Amino acid sequence: MIDFTHIEKYKENNRIEAKKALGGLPHSIWETYSAFANTLGGIILLGVEEQKDKSLHPIDLPDPELLIEDFWEIVNDLRKVSVNILSEKDVTVEQINGKRIVAIRVPRARRSDKPVFVEGDPFSGSYRRNGEGDYRCTKEEVHAMLRDAAIQAQDMAVLENMDLTVFDYDSVKRYRTRMETDRPGHAWEGLDDAEFLYKLGAVGRSGDGKMHPSAAGLLMFGYEYEIVKEYPAYFLDYREQTESDTCWTNRIVSSSGDWSGNIYDFYVRVCNKITQEISIPLNPDGGDPAPIHNALREALANCLINADYYGRQGIVIIKRPDRITLSNPGGFRIDVATAKSGGVSDPRNSGLIRMFNLIDVGKRTGSGIPHIINVWNKQGWPAPVITESFEPDRITLSLTLIAHENRVTETATVVGKTTKSKSQIQKQAVITYLTESIEARTVEVAELLGVKYARAHRLLAEMVADGTVVTEGGKRSRVYKLRA
């Protein structure tokens, strides 16, 4: 995460915290430990001070081994810290120009360990990282982490306060018709609706033997006005915007009252929009558009399946001539790098996955995001950009539908009394980004800096040459990371 030989290049940010620690372990170290664990992970530097220009400099600790001994004693005390997520290799003494500091590398906690909290109370002792500082989590954020920590998927709960009148049976009929087309002769074809929904997992039995909707069934087939009784913040929103018009030219919202408002009907309506009405050529060479259509369907299904429907702001899908963005409430249950590489699946709503899978939508292998990335690479479009934000938790997938042009100009920018080239400022921005996001593709750096692809590629090549960053992967899958 940090090249200690060039520590002066770094600043405190979302994943770096510096503390002098000359008087022993600072009390605030535990808030930062909690914050890094509950956000994206990070590194705590003891024996490092931030100077007026925000650069970091070592100050030499008199007894770093004693600090480490004190740290391990406290981090393993359940009265002080809820869980120790570190191993011995995560806490080290580093030497910088003869000065000794302590580096504590805090990983992102597994969902089963969240929230990581201090002083015995998750609601007053859970923190997250925002920019250069730590903040105490809201009750909403703590509840979201506790929901995700549960072994049972969120949507498997049986809602005993509701009965089967919550369902829009026209939606159920449309789903069954599609399933019969995709899976002709399936054993469930002859079942009545109630028994079919039970087999599907959309209905469950309570302790008294009565049938009630599951959370997944309510979301998939319920009326919107019934869904919001369980999920008050539930909202599905699709918008279109033309290049010349700042207003939305087409909009589908779950609360309109002229359709069911459930997830299945939203999926069908929006699929038709994003796969058949894209206003630029999908295949300039006249190739088969099916892979792109399939990838878009996969992206939409992933957005709906992985949402935390108790979270704020709902599902938002926006289609513009050059870009489609899909955004859902809820954070990643695995880290972003693992999600991109595939093979690991940790669904928030396993009931919805099963329902989509039975109509041949989505996979259960963790291959959805890698498949989308691969299709975009083959098309020659910029790689999909995945953004995770907090307060509230939210995931956004941005799919660009055009290629970058390869033109750039170089200017100089004056900062205070020092004249810095644009390259210097851009390189510092890349360093800051890589400390927060761990890795990046060239296209992500281009979007970060607002430059063309070729310019970003040239800038990264210079940073590789001067030893600031390293590359991993082949030509198509290459990513850039800070030198360890």
Side-chain angles (χ1 to χ4, degrees):
M1 184 182 295
I2 285 185
D3 179 358
F4 289 106
T5 62
H6 296 289
I7 195 171
E8 72 282 352
K9 290 185 177 181
Y10 300 91
K11 299 179 182 180
E12 285 191 338
N13 57 34
N14 206 38
R15 303 192 70 220
I16 298 177
E17 174 72 15
K19 301 179 185 292
K20 291 183 180 180
L22 292 177
L25 283 178
H27 183 269
S28 61
I29 191 175
W30 305 112
E31 295 177 4
T32 303
Y33 171 81
S34 167
F36 280 160
N38 290 328
T39 314
L40 297 172
I43 187 167
I44 303 171
L45 302 174
L46 304 181
V48 175
E49 67 176 345
E50 184 182 44
Q51 298 192 342
K52 289 184 178 180
D53 64 356
K54 299 292 186 179
S55 62
L56 302 181
H57 294 268
I59 56 177
D60 196 24
L61 291 171
D63 194 349
E65 290 80 10
L66 180 60
L67 278 180
I68 291 176
E69 184 180 328
D70 291 344
F71 177 83
W72 283 122
E73 182 178 350
I74 298 175
V75 80
N76 286 308
D77 184 351
L78 293 178
R79 295 170 298 179
K80 180 67 180 179
V81 181
S82 63
V83 61
N84 174 15
I85 62 172
L86 307 181
S87 61
E88 187 174 343
K89 64 180 177 59
D90 293 321
V91 184
T92 60
V93 177
E94 306 287 343
Q95 284 209 18
I96 305 174
N97 299 327
K99 297 177 180 179
R100 296 195 300 169
I101 70 169
V102 173
I104 303 171
R105 301 165 183 83
V106 183
R108 178 176 183 159
R110 297 175 300 179
R111 67 173 178 86
S112 57
D113 289 328
K114 292 181 183 179
V116 175
F117 57 92
V118 298
E119 304 295 352
D121 185 353
F123 290 97
S124 63
S126 294
Y127 293 82
R128 271 187 169 166
R129 190 76 173 176
N130 184 7
E132 300 176 16
D134 308 321
Y135 71 90
R136 182 177 283 110
C137 292
T138 63
K139 287 184 178 180
E140 179 185 1
E141 289 176 294
V142 174
H143 280 302
M145 285 187 277
L146 290 171
R147 286 195 300 270
D148 276 343
I151 296 175
Q152 183 181 17
Q154 286 188 18
D155 66 345
M156 297 302 291
V158 175
L159 307 177
E160 297 186 8
N161 60 324
M162 294 183 172
D163 59 31
L164 304 193
T165 61
V166 301
F167 293 126
D168 175 8
Y169 285 94
D170 287 336
S171 297
V172 175
K173 181 179 179 180
R174 288 188 287 271
Y175 177 91
R176 296 192 68 170
T177 299
R178 177 163 179 168
M179 184 175 164
E180 289 169 8
T181 301
D182 292 333
R183 297 173 181 267
H186 195 279
W188 299 350
E189 279 190 13
L191 300 178
D192 63 30
D193 282 342
E195 192 63 24
F196 173 80
L197 291 171
Y198 178 74
K199 295 283 190 182
L200 188 63
V203 164
R205 296 185 187 276
S206 61
D208 60 6
K210 294 182 179 179
M211 299 179 89
H212 302 273
S214 67
L218 175 67
L219 289 165
M220 193 73 163
F221 303 118
Y223 290 106
E224 184 270 345
Y225 57 83
E226 299 285 2
I227 296 173
V228 295
K229 293 177 183 178
E230 176 64 22
Y231 299 97
Y234 174 85
F235 188 64
L236 310 177
D237 188 359
Y238 170 79
R239 312 170 191 171
E240 289 180 11
Q241 186 179 40
T242 62
E243 188 172 5
S244 60
D245 192 352
T246 58
C247 299
W248 305 118
T249 57
N250 197 341
R251 195 169 184 188
I252 300 171
V253 295
S254 55
S255 59
S256 64
D258 56 359
W259 61 288
S260 68
N262 60 46
I263 285 177
Y264 177 68
D265 286 342
F266 182 78
Y267 171 82
V268 173
R269 288 173 176 231
V270 173
C271 257
N272 291 334
K273 296 293 184 182
I274 64 176
T275 61
Q276 297 178 16
E277 297 183 8
I278 294 177
S279 59
I280 66 171
L282 282 175
N283 285 270
D285 299 326
D288 181 10
I292 299 166
H293 290 176
N294 290 337
L296 288 170
R297 283 190 280 267
E298 185 91 9
L300 177 58
N302 282 348
C303 180
L304 294 168
I305 287 166
N306 291 306
D308 179 359
Y309 288 98
Y310 290 104
R312 282 186 281 145
Q313 299 180 359
I315 301 284
V316 180
I317 315 294
I318 299 176
K319 181 172 77 71
R320 294 185 173 90
D322 64 341
R323 184 183 306 270
I324 295 175
T325 58
L326 306 96
S327 182
N328 63 267
F332 271 105
R333 287 158 67 93
I334 56 177
D335 64 81
V336 178
T338 301
K340 287 181 177 179
S341 62
V344 178
S345 179
D346 186 15
R348 178 173 281 114
N349 297 300
S350 59
L352 290 179
I353 284 185
R354 184 166 185 255
M355 293 173 190
F356 275 112
N357 185 249
L358 284 168
I359 54 173
D360 289 337
V361 176
K363 307 289 184 183
R364 299 180 67 99
T365 60
S367 62
I369 291 176
H371 170 68
I372 295 165
I373 292 173
N374 184 52
V375 170
W376 251 242
N377 284 340
K378 289 182 177 179
Q379 184 71 10
W381 290 339
V385 176
I386 302 170
T387 305
E388 182 176 19
S389 56
F390 303 90
E391 198 187 10
D393 294 359
R394 198 158 190 86
I395 299 169
T396 301
L397 173 64
S398 181
L399 301 171
T400 301
L401 305 172
I402 58 174
H404 284 293
E405 297 176 9
N406 295 327
R407 291 180 288 108
V408 67
T409 57
E410 179 80 8
T411 60
T413 303
V414 177
V415 181
K417 296 182 180 180
T418 303
T419 301
K420 293 185 177 181
S421 71
K422 190 170 184 179
S423 289
Q424 291 174 308
I425 296 171
Q426 289 172 337
K427 287 178 181 179
Q428 183 58 57
V430 172
I431 289 172
T432 299
Y433 181 80
L434 289 177
T435 60
E436 297 176 356
S437 301
I438 302 179
E439 66 180 31
R441 296 173 182 267
T442 305
V443 65
E444 294 171 325
V445 173
E447 292 193 355
L448 168 73
L449 301 177
V451 300
K452 305 300 181 183
Y453 182 91
R455 171 58 184 162
H457 180 75
R458 189 159 59 247
L459 194 74
L460 287 166
E462 292 173 5
M463 297 179 75
V464 170
D466 66 26
T468 307
V469 302
V470 295
T471 63
E472 290 184 6
K475 184 175 181 181
R476 285 188 173 274
S477 59
R478 181 172 297 156
V479 296
Y480 296 83
K481 297 182 178 182
L482 291 179
R483 183 179 295 278

